[in-house]
Amino acid sequence: ETNIDDMNPELLPHVLERLLEAGARDAWLVPVLMKKGRPAHVLSVLTDPSHADRMFAMITAETSTLGVRMRTLRRRSLPREPRVVATAFGPVKVKAVRRGAREALVPEFEECARIARERNLPLIDVYRSLETELRRREGNDREHTTPPAQA
């Protein structure tokens, strides 16, 4: 993580893209106001420890920062698995997320974006439509879902 206050912010989306392409698990920016009222951004990157040196090199090469704060984090997550579900839009990749005894089906963003492009529909309409359709199925058995094809 680093604070960036002396760099053209138009360049920052490129930095995020490069970090993700280089193997970061996630990367994001948060606008902040620093001392003396200086606008800045906090760049945060999640990566495996084995990629820390690569991420540090990329951050210091692609930004104006002089240093990076590093710490080790633990993560807990809900059980989930990828599935393919038959929908009104055809087969769609989703995440099946287990929340206690309940299972929730969540559409994958990339799938929603693909459908929106292919059908020339607003992305938000596709996402909402799939959410509604999937919500109706929650709690049902897997008769309408299949595991994703193995590559």
Side-chain angles (χ1 to χ4, degrees), residues 22 28-29 48 57 61 73-74 77 81 86 100 116-117 125 130 141 145-146 151:
W28 63 93
L29 292 159
D48 293 324
L73 301 172
R74 290 182 357 177
S77 60
E81 67 180 45
R117 277 191 310 275
D125 291 348
L130 284 171
D141 61 19
T145 65
T146 58

Side-chain angles (χ1 to χ4, degrees), residues 62-77:
E62 294 280 354
T63 73
S64 60
T65 193
L66 302 176
V68 174
R69 294 176 295 280
M70 296 185 196
R71 60 183 168 267
T72 302
L73 301 172
R74 290 182 357 177
R75 177 177 187 243
R76 292 181 68 185
S77 60

Side-chain angles (χ1 to χ4, degrees), residues 58-140:
M58 184 166 290
I59 291 167
T60 56
E62 294 280 354
T63 73
S64 60
T65 193
L66 302 176
V68 174
R69 294 176 295 280
M70 296 185 196
R71 60 183 168 267
T72 302
L73 301 172
R74 290 182 357 177
R75 177 177 187 243
R76 292 181 68 185
S77 60
L78 294 173
R80 62 182 169 227
E81 67 180 45
R83 295 217 192 122
V84 176
V85 178
T87 74
F89 294 110
V92 173
K93 293 177 188 174
V94 301
K95 283 184 285 240
V97 180
R98 177 72 46 201
R99 296 179 186 278
R102 189 167 91 60
E103 180 179 83
L105 299 175
V106 181
E108 291 286 358
F109 171 80
E110 292 81 9
E111 286 287 274
C112 295
R114 175 187 60 79
I115 292 165
R117 277 191 310 275
E118 288 175 358
R119 298 182 182 225
N120 197 29
L121 296 169
L123 176 58
I124 193 167
D125 291 348
V126 171
Y127 195 84
R128 285 178 178 161
S129 177
L130 284 171
E131 271 188 320
T132 299
E133 187 174 346
L134 294 172
R135 200 172 299 119
R136 279 191 224 118
R137 292 185 187 189
E138 289 175 8
N140 294 346

Side-chain angles (χ1 to χ4, degrees), residues 14-28 44-56 58-59:
H14 169 78
V15 175
L16 290 179
E17 187 177 311
R18 296 271 294 139
L19 289 163
L20 293 168
E21 288 171 353
R25 288 185 178 252
D26 203 355
W28 63 93
S44 299
V45 180
L46 290 179
T47 191
D48 293 324
S50 62
H51 297 154
D53 289 340
R54 181 178 352 150
M55 296 298 131
F56 173 78
M58 184 166 290
I59 291 167

Side-chain angles (χ1 to χ4, degrees), residues 1-6 32 34 40-43 65-67 69:
E1 186 173 85
T2 188
N3 296 351
I4 301 171
D5 68 345
D6 58 350
V32 295
M34 294 180 41
H41 289 85
V42 177
L43 169 63
T65 193
L66 302 176
R69 294 176 295 280

